[in-house]
Amino acid sequence: MEKLPPLLAPSLLACDFARIGEKIKILESAGVPWLHLDVMDGAFVPNISFGQPLIKSIRKATDMFFDVHLMINEPGRYLADFAGCGADLICIHAEASGDIAADLAAIKALGVKCGLAIKPKTPAEAVLPHLKVLDLVLVMSVEPGFGGQKFMPEVLPKISALRDAREREGLAFHIEVDGGIGPENAALVYAAGADVLVAGSSVLGKDDPAAAAKAIYDSLK
Ligand code: DX5
Ligand code: ZN
C-alpha cells in the first residue's frame, strides 16, 4: 500500500488557554487539518487537563477534525458525553479499558471514529485483535500525562510493525504518534509508518504556531 499523506494534529495542551480561540483560528487558516485534544483524569495519568465543557465550546469556533485522546480510566463511562461535545474521533487507552471491544463498538455506535492508544511499554499485540474496527492506532512516544517530554525512539519498531500489519491485512487505519514530535524527528516517525503526527510544544507552544506547523510539514518533504 502507498504511504498515507501526513496529517498534523497539534495538541491543545501546549496552548495558552487564555488565547485558545485565536490560536485555533490561526491553525485553521494555515490549513492544519486536525486538533488533538488531551483529556486527563488525574487517575489513569498523574495530571488533569480539561474535559467536556472546553471541547463543547471550541467546537463552535472551528471545523477542524477533533481528535480526542482520552487518558481516563474506564472510558466507557464518558463516550456519549464526548461524542455529544463534538468529537470526530475518540481514542481510548488499551490499558484503561475493562472491555476494549465493547468500548470501540460503543464509539462507532455513536457515529464517531474510534482509536486505540498504547503507552510506550505496551506491545503492539494489545491492539492487533481490534485492527479491523479501528480508524486509528495511537502509539505513545512518551509516558502519557505531560507535554514537553523527550521522544522515545524505542517505539519506532512498534510503529513499523503496525504499518506492516495494516498492509498485510489490507486495512486503512491511521497510525498516530504522540509525544515529543517536532521538525527534528517528524520525518523519522513518518518514514517508520506513522501518518498522523501529534505535536504539542513544537506547535502551540511556539509564538507563531502557523510557522511551526509549516516547519514540520517542510521537514517531511
Ligand atoms: C501527553 C499527550 C500529548 C502531549 C504532546 O500525554 O498525550 O498529546 O500534549 O505534547 P508534546 O508534543 O509537547 O510532547
Ligand atoms: Zn495526546
Side-chain angles (χ1 to χ4, degrees), residues 92-95 97-105 116 126 130:
I92 60 165
H93 263 270
E95 307 86 352
S97 166
D99 188 339
I100 296 172
D103 284 344
L104 296 176
L116 188 57
H130 307 286

Side-chain angles (χ1 to χ4, degrees), residues 101-204:
D103 284 344
L104 296 176
I107 297 172
K108 295 229 126 165
L110 291 161
V112 174
K113 290 191 174 6
C114 68
L116 188 57
I118 44 176
K119 300 203 274 185
K121 292 190 190 72
T122 303
E125 282 66 31
V127 303
L128 297 182
H130 307 286
L131 291 185
K132 282 191 178 60
V133 301
L134 286 171
D135 297 295
L136 176 146
V137 175
L138 191 169
V139 176
M140 290 297 310
S141 43
V142 297
E143 288 299 335
F146 299 91
Q149 304 180 75
K150 202 170 163 297
F151 174 72
M152 298 167 70
E154 56 268 39
V155 305
L156 288 168
K158 190 157 68 178
I159 292 172
S160 298
L162 286 162
R163 188 246 339 255
D164 295 347
R166 179 175 68 192
E167 170 107 46
R168 221 173 26 245
E169 300 191 27
L171 299 170
F173 57 85
H174 292 288
I175 300 174
E176 180 175 51
V177 61
D178 182 8
I181 304 296
E184 69 290 347
N185 57 14
L188 190 70
V189 293
Y190 185 54
D195 60 290
V196 182
L197 312 183
V198 175
S201 334
S202 67
V203 176
L204 281 166

Side-chain angles (χ1 to χ4, degrees), residues 11 36-38 40 69 71 138 140 178-179 198:
S11 167
H36 183 82
L37 299 165
D38 287 305
M40 303 180 183
H69 179 192
M71 285 165 276
L138 191 169
M140 290 297 310
D178 182 8
V198 175

Side-chain angles (χ1 to χ4, degrees), residues 20-117:
I20 289 178
E22 172 201 338
K23 298 284 183 180
I24 290 176
K25 282 283 163 227
I26 292 173
L27 291 176
E28 190 168 34
S29 306
V32 173
W34 284 28
L35 192 63
H36 183 82
L37 299 165
D38 287 305
V39 176
M40 303 180 183
D41 66 352
F44 177 65
V45 289
N47 198 7
I48 296 175
S49 56
F50 52 78
Q52 302 92 318
L54 183 138
I55 296 175
K56 196 173 173 185
S57 98
I58 60 171
R59 184 68 287 178
K60 294 182 231 140
T62 177
D63 292 325
M64 288 172 86
F65 185 92
F66 279 7
D67 167 30
V68 176
H69 179 192
L70 293 184
M71 285 165 276
I72 68 175
N73 279 327
E74 295 303 336
R77 299 173 295 157
Y78 291 105
L79 300 173
D81 254 28
F82 283 100
C85 293
D88 293 296
L89 182 148
I90 297 176
C91 187
I92 60 165
H93 263 270
E95 307 86 352
S97 166
D99 188 339
I100 296 172
D103 284 344
L104 296 176
I107 297 172
K108 295 229 126 165
L110 291 161
V112 174
K113 290 191 174 6
C114 68
L116 188 57

